[in-house]
Amino acid sequence: MKIILPENVKTILDTMHGAGFEAYVVGGCVRDGVLGREPQDWDITTNALPEETKKLFRRTIDTGIEHGTVTIMIGKEGYEVTTYRIDGKYEDSRHPSEVTFTKNLTEDMKRRDFTINAMAYNEEEGLIDRFGGLDDIKGKVIRCVGDPKERFAEDALRIMRAVRFSAQLDYEIEEKTKEAVKELAQNLSKISAERIQTELVKLVTSDHPEKLKTAYELGVTKVILPEFDKCMETAQNNPHHMYNVGDHIICSMENIRADKVLRLTMLMHDIAKPATITVDDEGVCHFKGHSELGVQMAHSIFRRLKFDRDTMDRACNLIRYHDDRFPATPKAVRRAMNRVGVDEFPYLLEVRYADTMAQSMYYRQEKLQLIEDTKKVYEEILAKKDCVTLKDLAVNGKDLISLGVTPGKKIGEILSAMLDDVLDNPEHNSKEYLLEPERLKKTFLMDQINEG
Ligand code: ATP
Ligand code: MG
């Protein structure tokens, strides 16, 4: 087994070996190296103590020195070098209360979560695989190192990591590991929102977002996203649908590219369906107001999981308009671009495509055609540079003030009225037209023109 190491990593390993220490790349980068994937970062494990490591390199940062980690800087790149360690007792399913350094590589491997993450490598000794990680890569299995129940009881985040790796790699979770997930999923309630968020985002932006269903089946979403469990329990007897709400959500995620905002939008676009369901006389389900309520629910989920504002606002905006219906006419599309936002509009088309692909075949061709047509009209509007927002309007507040309007609310009202006209009639977007005195008075109700 040969893993190609970057030059900087070789330099670090050689320097440490030259000084008489053991050193290996370890963890995720070995796993990714074996898989032929580009590792995100290269971590190094060594028997050298942090102080000993620091003496060997010019630029180092004490990243987590009490846990044995120093970062070595080469150019702009940082490499974490961690002393072999044994994690002490975990007091609260989260943090080891203490760590002990060890001289034994196997001891360090034992504390790692999964067999595929518990391998080390250097060029002299090749792959060090004491727990069958390579076999599990070949068998596509996520398996805990040691007893799964103990490992999840020590640190419940590993439960999320198990599902997340299974989604990123398309692996099955091994039976005993799965049982332990089920039994201990409740412990996830002790894990910080930020760390849950990170893992959830990795899961839904992976190549296999459908593994969210595994998370549901194992009782993980019940703890971190109970709103989704309600969706799995809500059938949709409606000609437009063939799945329950939860399966529809999953299918919609599979039909959109792996962009964080887009995948989160799909995850939550129908989250309010269980709360808005009504059944008519024919037994058909309707979900009136689910977009609006969905925005509120998504908002509170994003807050609970401590998402950043930008992600939350963008996803909520797309959720609000995901079911917005309008014809593919220039007028209607300009108005929709104005409502949704010019930059966000193409994202909305992606959302509508994914939503449609996760529905039944009923009118599917027509729905897809409408999206295609809307896209063409949108592109034409962009090419023609039609005005769709206040900032493209030929008239601004200053123009009105110089005509004698008192600064304040009235300015906004007049500009809105003008935009309203221009959205329907783009050819009206000129100063000559909009500021023509008679029109100002009659159409835009500007009653304060400075006649002098
Ligand atoms: P990623 O591709 O997401 O970076 P990774 O496997 O590198 O995946 P990291 O969080 O960077 O994950 O952790 C590096 C290594 O540290 C892991 O491969 C694993 O060996 C170990 N590790 C990380 N988190 C835990 C944990 N909660 N419990 C046990 N070992 C862990
Ligand atoms: Mg990593």
Side-chain angles (χ1 to χ4, degrees), residues 13-23 46-48 52 56 103:
L13 294 180
D14 288 347
T15 305
M16 302 197 78
H17 294 157
F21 295 110
E22 296 173 18
T46 178
N47 63 352
E52 293 173 321
L56 297 174
K103 292 287 168 196

Side-chain angles (χ1 to χ4, degrees), residues 212-213 216 221-222 225-237 241-253 264-277 285 287 290 293-294 297-298 301:
L212 185 67
K213 190 146 176 179
Y216 164 72
T221 53
K222 188 174 172 207
L225 195 62
E227 295 87 351
F228 180 75
D229 287 42
K230 289 244 165 61
C231 294
M232 288 299 300
E233 291 149 15
T234 304
Q236 314 193 74
N237 182 21
H241 284 280
M242 57 182 175
Y243 295 131
N244 66 44
V245 177
D247 284 328
H248 163 74
I249 284 175
I250 286 175
C251 185
S252 75
M253 286 198 291
L264 289 168
T265 299
M266 296 331 291
L267 175 64
M268 297 193 216
H269 78 287
D270 277 352
I271 205 81
K273 275 192 168 176
T276 52
I277 191 166
C285 303
F287 305 94
H290 79 275
L293 184 62
M297 288 179 67
I301 294 167

Side-chain angles (χ1 to χ4, degrees), residues 25 44 61 78 90 127 135 137 144 151 157 242 257 265 297 321 364 366 369 377 385 391 434:
V25 291
I44 292 155
I61 302 168
Y90 282 72
L127 191 71
D135 280 346
I137 285 181
C144 281
R151 304 312 311 283
L157 186 71
M242 57 182 175
R257 71 193 155 93
T265 299
M297 288 179 67
Y321 296 114
R364 178 176 290 181
E366 290 80 353
Q369 190 60 53
V377 173
K385 299 196 165 69
K391 85 174 166 27
L434 295 170

Side-chain angles (χ1 to χ4, degrees), residues 28-29 31 40-41 43 202:
C29 61
R31 177 197 70 224
Q40 298 200 349
D41 36 42
D43 296 329
K202 286 185 179 180

Side-chain angles (χ1 to χ4, degrees), residues 2-27 29-30 42-48 53 56-57 72 74 79-82 84 105 120-128:
K2 174 126 180 88
I3 295 173
I4 297 160
L5 303 176
E7 281 310 312
N8 289 346
V9 171
K10 280 191 200 168
T11 306
I12 295 171
L13 294 180
D14 288 347
T15 305
M16 302 197 78
H17 294 157
F21 295 110
E22 296 173 18
Y24 304 86
V25 291
V26 69
C29 61
V30 178
W42 294 85
D43 296 329
I44 292 155
T45 189
T46 178
N47 63 352
T53 302
L56 297 174
F57 299 93
I72 294 171
I74 302 183
Y79 301 87
E80 288 194 354
V81 177
T82 304
Y84 298 162
L105 173 63
Y121 176 88
N122 67 25
E123 292 192 331
E124 293 73 13
E125 294 166 71
L127 191 71
I128 313 278

Side-chain angles (χ1 to χ4, degrees), residues 290-301:
H290 79 275
S291 301
E292 269 308 311
L293 184 62
V295 170
Q296 285 177 41
M297 288 179 67
H299 199 265
S300 81
I301 294 167

